[in-house]
Structure formats: structure tokens, C-alpha cells
Amino acid sequence: MGTLWLVGMMGSGKTTVAQIVAASLNRPCVDTDTAVVASTGRSIDDWFATDVTGFREAERTAVLAVAGDDIVVACGGGVVLDPDAVTAMRSSGLVVWLDAPVAELVTRLGTGSGRPLLDDDPANALERIRGERLDDYRAAAHVVISGSGTPEQVAEAVIAAWTGSS
């Protein structure tokens, strides 16, 4: 059946929803950020402070390593910036964009602690990042699902999209 990829902004619920979906579908779940940290021994904060390009390369490697596997993958928010990663995702399964309004992302992320791209102004940073990536999310996604609602509601919509595409 292939890989079920979840993409979207930080705070859109990718990791939580992926875990729920994977449990419902009886599939393994992978988070690309976690995979990069585990394979390199470097934290996301360290990557972004010193080598964003290297992080994107490690992220692409994580995507390519699981492309085509029968798993659910929660992708890092910027994975859509890498054309090779997007090609691998689109050709190996279903890419679902969890799209949530910036106001909701701000509520979920609070001060942005542990999120190196948010600096001291999460609301403005999220608005800017979303604007910069909007076309990339649209181009990557086969399906767009609202990231608003409870994780269980979003997971239900993701499962419906997955079963409808299979």
C-alpha cells in the first residue's frame, strides 16, 4: 500500500496524529526529526544553530530510507523544501498536508521553546514561515486536511483519506 506521509507546519499535529493513525492501521510510525537525531546524535537545536543545510540532507536521507515502506511518517515541517524528498514521498505513497491556522499553531506552540525557527516572536515567525512554504505544501500534498480539531478527529480524517486512496 505504500507510505502515508504527514506534512505541515510545526504544531500542526503531525507526530501526534501519525501515532494515532499508525496504531489504528496497525503500522509502524516514524518521525523524521526523531530519526535524524537518533542517526546523527545531534539535536534539532544544534543542527539549526550550526548547519541547516546538513540537517536538510539528513532529513532527506531519513525520508529516502523509509519511502515505500508500509508505515506512517510524521515529517519535519520543512521537508517540503527539498524537491528530492517531495518526489520520493509523492511517488511512494500518499502525502497528507495537515493545515492549521497560524493562530492555532501559536496556541499549541506557546513560547516556541525547543523550536529554533521561532525566535522570540512565535506568531510572526509562524506567519512568515507559513507564507514562505505555502506553495511547497500545496505542491507536495495529494490531500489537504484541516489540522484543527482534536488529534483523534484529525486522525479520523487522515484515515478516511488513506482508505479512500487505496
Side-chain angles (χ1 to χ4, degrees):
M1 285 183 65
T3 309
L4 176 54
W5 305 93
L6 301 183
V7 300
M9 290 284 294
M10 63 185 91
S12 63
K14 299 177 303 284
T15 300
T16 301
V17 170
Q19 292 168 347
I20 295 167
V21 170
S24 295
L25 297 176
N26 197 27
R27 287 175 165 234
C29 182
V30 171
D31 180 290
T32 60
D33 284 349
T34 302
V36 167
V37 170
S39 69
T40 65
R42 293 179 67 183
S43 72
I44 301 296
D45 283 343
D46 179 49
W47 275 110
F48 275 82
T50 60
D51 188 9
V52 175
T53 301
F55 173 79
R56 294 291 175 217
E57 291 168 2
E59 183 177 53
R60 179 187 324 116
T61 298
V63 165
L64 296 175
V66 298
D69 292 352
D70 289 337
I71 62 173
V72 179
V73 181
C75 296
V79 72
V80 296
L81 301 173
D82 185 314
D84 293 335
V86 171
T87 298
M89 291 187 303
R90 286 188 57 84
S91 66
S92 65
L94 182 72
V95 181
V96 177
W97 173 21
L98 301 185
D99 186 22
V102 169
E104 191 163 341
L105 300 175
V106 170
T107 299
R108 291 177 183 175
L109 296 171
T111 63
S113 177
R115 306 286 183 154
L117 295 179
L118 295 187
D119 300 321
D120 295 327
D121 189 354
N124 281 333
L126 287 164
E127 192 69 51
R128 177 185 50 75
I129 293 166
R130 186 176 193 284
E132 291 169 357
R133 295 180 181 172
L134 195 58
D135 289 340
D136 296 309
Y137 285 124
R138 285 185 181 131
H142 293 108
V143 177
V144 180
I145 291 179
S146 173
S148 298
T150 68
E152 293 77 15
Q153 290 168 328
V154 176
E156 235 176 77
V158 169
I159 291 168
W162 175 252
T163 57
S165 74
S166 305

